Amino acid sequence: MEAAEASTTPQLALADTDINWDRLDKTKFHVIGAILFTAQSALLHPTAVVKTRMQVAGSGLSQMRGMSVFTHILRSDGVPGIFRGFGTSAIGSMPGRVLALTSLEMSKDIMLKYTQGSDMPEASRIGLANGVAGMFSNLVSCVYFVPLDVICQRLMVQGLPGTAPCRGPFDVISKVLKAEGFRGLYRGFGLTAITQSPASALWWGSYGAAQHIIWRSLGYKDDAENKPSHFQMVTVQATAGMVAGACSSVITTPIDTVKTRLQVMDNYGSGRPSVLKTTKTLLKEDGWWGFYRGFGPRFLNMSLYGTTMIVTYELIKRLSVQ
């Protein structure tokens, strides 16, 4: 009887929960990815608008709660207000996602092959491979996404004090180039690359390790023939993604606040804006708590993003297996 019960206990072949680059149909992977990630971005974009407006000085919204800011935007600008910058973000992100996903999967595959046969625990090996891949992918994609971020965030804060009025993304580009040259599109690039790359490594590393540990704690093994249900796979991956996203938001919100101000403010006084100037101004205005302006919406955004992104990402991979 015990043997029969044991034989019916689901055992996981862990390879089926981590589909590597070699097993993917690349065209299908990027096409399906573009569609599903755009839909996901649409769901989360309002939280990004709320967070960005709360972080901008002089907006009158920085001391309000996230839900109050959301309601205020709806009352003053209607539904289009909470989707400011979405069209630019959605269309502009497509090439960047191809770059980011390709570099992520290829570098992870290389790291897994390089560390195969090493003495380190499997959870550590998977966490290391995911972490290195996350850092490399972030460094590569920063070259594309920082200018896009500058453009989208300026569209999000239209009408707030200290921001220049713009008629659309091309007008933003024109005004930034005229005022500061090409460097203006890369405001905050160094800060983003230096801080977000380790954060991305932490996110992907903790996700990979957490997922492996959860599967092991549930009793699944590498050499099992049976597979978990789709519900089990989604639940475990969503949990690992949510934890990774929540932890990352706590660590990265202060940097994100400085970066957002650096990228959108125009009345910064004499000389070029800098990280040091922006940090000093923020400290003077609100003290250390000022670095966590918009933390609620960002925490919600990254927790939901971590959950929905990883579920979407893993679904894309399963649909793209050759």
Side-chain angles (χ1 to χ4, degrees), residues 126-141:
I126 292 174
L128 176 64
N130 276 270
V132 171
M135 177 177 286
F136 179 73
S137 174
N138 187 269
L139 284 171
V140 171
S141 59

Side-chain angles (χ1 to χ4, degrees), residues 223-235:
D223 56 356
E225 294 181 0
N226 296 326
K227 300 177 183 179
S229 67
H230 287 293
F231 177 77
Q232 287 175 308
M233 293 178 73
V234 169
T235 301

Side-chain angles (χ1 to χ4, degrees), residues 234-312:
V234 169
T235 301
V236 170
Q237 290 166 346
T239 301
M242 181 175 62
V243 171
C247 292
S248 182
S249 70
V250 173
I251 296 169
T252 61
T253 292
I255 301 298
D256 185 69
T257 301
V258 174
K259 177 181 72 72
T260 299
R261 281 198 170 201
L262 192 64
Q263 289 177 334
V264 305
M265 296 302 292
D266 291 308
N267 60 343
Y268 45 79
S270 60
R272 278 181 55 81
S274 68
V275 173
L276 186 59
K277 281 183 184 179
T278 306
T279 302
K280 285 182 176 179
T281 302
L282 193 58
L283 276 172
K284 185 178 178 180
E285 289 177 358
D286 294 319
W288 291 104
W289 283 111
F291 289 99
Y292 277 89
R293 280 185 177 181
F295 174 70
R298 180 170 169 79
F299 183 87
L300 177 63
N301 179 281
M302 292 196 70
S303 297
L304 291 175
Y305 176 81
T307 304
T308 59
M309 187 278 286
I310 209 62
V311 170
T312 303

Side-chain angles (χ1 to χ4, degrees), residues 12-315:
L12 173 66
L14 291 179
D16 290 315
T17 68
D18 191 12
I19 302 166
N20 293 327
W21 184 247
D22 292 341
R23 299 173 58 193
L24 296 174
D25 180 321
K26 312 306 185 290
T27 301
K28 190 185 292 186
F29 177 64
H30 290 306
V31 170
I32 296 173
I35 295 170
L36 293 184
F37 274 128
T38 299
Q40 181 221 13
S41 296
L43 292 174
L44 298 179
H45 190 80
T47 63
V49 173
V50 171
K51 180 270 301 180
T52 300
R53 289 196 161 214
M54 289 177 70
Q55 289 176 337
V56 176
S59 65
L61 306 175
S62 58
Q63 306 301 325
M64 296 169 63
R65 293 182 178 275
M67 187 55 69
S68 299
V69 175
F70 179 78
T71 305
H72 172 81
I73 295 172
L74 277 178
R75 280 202 307 263
S76 59
D77 300 325
V79 174
I82 61 173
F83 283 96
R84 278 189 178 178
F86 174 68
T88 302
S89 175
I91 296 171
S93 292
M94 289 182 183
R97 286 201 186 100
V98 172
L99 182 66
L101 293 178
T102 301
S103 57
L104 176 73
E105 286 299 322
M106 289 184 70
S107 54
K108 181 173 73 171
D109 194 49
I110 290 170
M111 279 301 298
L112 286 172
K113 289 176 180 176
Y114 180 77
T115 57
Q116 193 169 18
S118 63
D119 294 333
M120 70 176 69
E122 188 67 8
S124 299
R125 189 175 81 89
I126 292 174
L128 176 64
N130 276 270
V132 171
M135 177 177 286
F136 179 73
S137 174
N138 187 269
L139 284 171
V140 171
S141 59
C142 272
V143 177
Y144 181 88
F145 277 112
V146 168
L148 181 64
D149 207 23
V150 170
I151 296 166
C152 291
Q153 288 187 334
R154 282 176 174 254
L155 292 173
M156 289 179 191
V157 299
Q158 285 297 289
L160 298 184
T163 62
C166 298
R167 294 187 300 273
F170 294 108
D171 191 36
V172 172
I173 296 171
S174 175
K175 287 183 176 178
V176 170
L177 289 176
K178 185 177 180 180
E180 301 177 63
F182 191 70
R183 290 178 63 187
L185 292 174
Y186 279 89
R187 273 197 196 181
F189 175 79
L191 185 65
T192 302
I194 291 171
T195 58
Q196 295 297 324
S197 294
S200 180
L202 171 66
W203 196 100
W204 283 102
S206 59
Y207 167 71
Q211 185 186 184
H212 183 86
I213 291 170
I214 292 171
W215 285 128
R216 290 294 194 186
S217 68
L218 293 174
Y220 294 112
K221 308 297 181 183
D222 287 323
D223 56 356
E225 294 181 0
N226 296 326
K227 300 177 183 179
S229 67
H230 287 293
F231 177 77
Q232 287 175 308
M233 293 178 73
V234 169
T235 301
V236 170
Q237 290 166 346
T239 301
M242 181 175 62
V243 171
C247 292
S248 182
S249 70
V250 173
I251 296 169
T252 61
T253 292
I255 301 298
D256 185 69
T257 301
V258 174
K259 177 181 72 72
T260 299
R261 281 198 170 201
L262 192 64
Q263 289 177 334
V264 305
M265 296 302 292
D266 291 308
N267 60 343
Y268 45 79
S270 60
R272 278 181 55 81
S274 68
V275 173
L276 186 59
K277 281 183 184 179
T278 306
T279 302
K280 285 182 176 179
T281 302
L282 193 58
L283 276 172
K284 185 178 178 180
E285 289 177 358
D286 294 319
W288 291 104
W289 283 111
F291 289 99
Y292 277 89
R293 280 185 177 181
F295 174 70
R298 180 170 169 79
F299 183 87
L300 177 63
N301 179 281
M302 292 196 70
S303 297
L304 291 175
Y305 176 81
T307 304
T308 59
M309 187 278 286
I310 209 62
V311 170
T312 303
Y313 179 64
E314 297 291 358
L315 175 61

